[in-house]
Amino acid sequence: MRIQQLLYLEKIIEKGSINEAAKELFLTQPSLSTAIKELEQELGIQLLLRSKHGVTPTLDGREFLIYSRQVLDQVQLLEERYKNQRPRKQTFSVSAQHYAFVVHAFVELVKTVTTDEYQLTLRETETENIFEDLSTFKSELGILYLNSFNKQVMKKLFKEKQLHFTPLFEAKPHVFVSRNNPLTKKERLTLEDLEDYPYLSYEQGETNSFYFSEEILSTWNRKKEIKVSDRATIFNLMVGLDGYTISSGIISSELNDDKIIAIPLDHEDTITIGWLKHQQRELSPMATIYLEMLTKHIENYGFAIL
């Protein structure tokens, strides 16, 4: 196995095409294909699925790429130290439920990047997609919550998909409403207080499982309910329709959430928010820095890190 083969494989997966990768590497397509086939034969596994539409990594290929990138990162450190080479493009990806503190930490992470080139991805997405992204190694980290209702089902899925959950903090449920909502006249709210207001929640795609809901009390019967797909829309509907949603209580005024406030909800449930990673994956330096940013931001809101 040669370092050059690892670089070739990374470029092919980045481009999704052996032909396009060969052009950037200034190689012929046959010679590049031969190099990867020799690597597959040496390893005894298939790394790429080849079709007329291009190439995609197999599951073995995705797993191999995790270890390959760690090797290439070490090679980069050697080259920077002894050859003054141009740094490799930094990469990182996180998939999360819709939390402002996740975005805030991502913003802070980007500000720390000193290289001229990077490829960072933040996916605010449905709960099922978080599992898919981690299982296929599209994302390095996942952020979601557990509570008494979904914990048993979620932990079963973690085990099946070889995911490890690390709790970050616990929060009591809060109701998010606009500053102009009549509910703001109360210091605390009950479920009865909410009955006449539109309930806003994030849609969960085809699965739409109650256990995948991003909001607690997902099975509670409501007279008015609106499903949305993104945080900008849910905030707009809070302002425009006096709608509400239920979450952790963390709102980031630095990210234009100044029109929304959080009011404690009288309910005995507790929300545990934490991060996920695949058991076979070691955290990259970028992931470690991101988690540091995330915990610092959470602590700034007065929450104790578990």
Side-chain angles (χ1 to χ4, degrees), residues 126 128 203-209:
E126 299 160 7
E128 185 177 31
E203 61 182 358
Q204 292 298 325
E206 294 180 3
T207 304
N208 202 29
S209 168

Side-chain angles (χ1 to χ4, degrees), residues 176-179 234-236 238-239 251 256-262:
F176 283 14
V177 295
S178 78
R179 291 187 178 275
I234 211 169
F235 286 165
N236 288 338
M238 286 180 199
V239 175
I251 297 179
N256 302 317
D257 295 351
D258 54 311
K259 294 181 180 179
I260 308 301
I261 66 171

Side-chain angles (χ1 to χ4, degrees), residues 134-149:
L134 292 172
S135 296
T136 58
F137 304 108
K138 289 181 181 178
S139 284
E140 193 170 346
L141 296 177
I143 312 291
L144 46 68
Y145 87 96
L146 300 180
N147 73 335
S148 58
F149 176 72

Side-chain angles (χ1 to χ4, degrees), residues 15 100 104 119 136 138 145 174 182 205 260 265 273 289:
K15 292 298 179 182
H104 190 282
Q119 182 175 327
T136 58
K138 289 181 181 178
Y145 87 96
H174 285 67
I260 308 301
L265 176 66
I273 296 177
I289 294 172

Side-chain angles (χ1 to χ4, degrees), residues 1-172:
M1 187 188 308
R2 302 186 303 277
I3 296 297
Q4 203 67 42
Q5 289 173 307
L6 304 185
L7 290 169
Y8 290 168
L9 178 64
E10 186 176 51
K11 179 61 68 175
I12 290 171
I13 292 177
E14 176 189 333
K15 292 298 179 182
S17 164
I18 294 178
N19 188 42
E20 292 301 315
K23 290 178 182 177
E24 286 214 5
L25 294 167
F26 301 101
L27 299 170
T28 64
Q29 183 173 343
S31 62
L32 183 56
S33 294
T34 299
I36 298 303
K37 287 179 180 178
E38 288 175 352
L39 179 60
E40 289 177 318
Q41 290 172 359
E42 180 182 351
L43 297 171
I45 59 174
Q46 183 178 355
L47 297 170
L48 299 173
L49 292 173
R50 300 160 174 85
S51 71
K52 62 180 180 181
H53 302 295
V55 295
T56 56
T58 62
L59 288 177
D60 284 334
R62 291 187 187 280
E63 182 178 350
F64 177 80
L65 194 63
I66 293 171
Y67 298 105
S68 171
R69 282 174 174 161
Q70 293 178 39
V71 172
L72 293 176
D73 284 341
Q74 294 301 313
V75 172
Q76 175 195 351
L77 291 174
L78 286 171
E79 290 179 338
E80 288 177 3
R81 175 67 177 84
Y82 296 105
K83 295 177 62 178
N84 196 27
Q85 292 286 319
R86 182 181 180 183
R88 276 163 33 87
K89 182 186 292 186
Q90 295 195 51
T91 61
F92 171 69
S93 180
V94 56
S95 297
Q97 292 175 332
H98 300 76
Y99 299 121
F101 56 85
V102 169
V103 181
H104 190 282
F106 191 83
V107 171
E108 295 302 313
L109 174 71
V110 176
K111 291 178 180 179
T112 68
V113 178
T114 57
T115 57
D116 292 333
E117 297 184 15
Y118 57 79
Q119 182 175 327
L120 310 178
T121 305
L122 170 60
R123 297 185 180 93
E124 280 195 324
T125 186
E126 299 160 7
T127 303
E128 185 177 31
N129 290 342
I130 296 175
F131 294 136
E132 177 67 17
D133 290 346
L134 292 172
S135 296
T136 58
F137 304 108
K138 289 181 181 178
S139 284
E140 193 170 346
L141 296 177
I143 312 291
L144 46 68
Y145 87 96
L146 300 180
N147 73 335
S148 58
F149 176 72
N150 72 4
K151 184 184 296 184
Q152 186 173 357
V153 171
M154 287 294 194
K155 287 189 172 182
K156 182 174 182 292
L157 287 169
F158 297 164
K159 185 176 181 180
E160 289 176 357
K161 297 179 181 294
Q162 298 183 13
L163 304 177
H164 179 74
F165 179 80
T166 301
L168 281 168
F169 70 103
E170 290 184 346
K172 299 300 291 184

Side-chain angles (χ1 to χ4, degrees), residues 205-244:
E206 294 180 3
T207 304
N208 202 29
S209 168
F210 288 127
Y211 297 108
F212 284 179
S213 174
E214 296 186 36
E215 304 81 19
I216 68 168
L217 304 170
S218 58
T219 59
W220 186 48
N221 187 34
R222 295 169 171 89
K223 294 188 294 185
K224 304 173 183 178
E225 186 170 355
I226 300 173
K227 297 279 188 182
V228 302
S229 60
D230 62 89
R231 277 192 307 117
T233 300
I234 211 169
F235 286 165
N236 288 338
L237 294 180
M238 286 180 199
V239 175
L241 297 176
D242 280 340
Y244 75 92

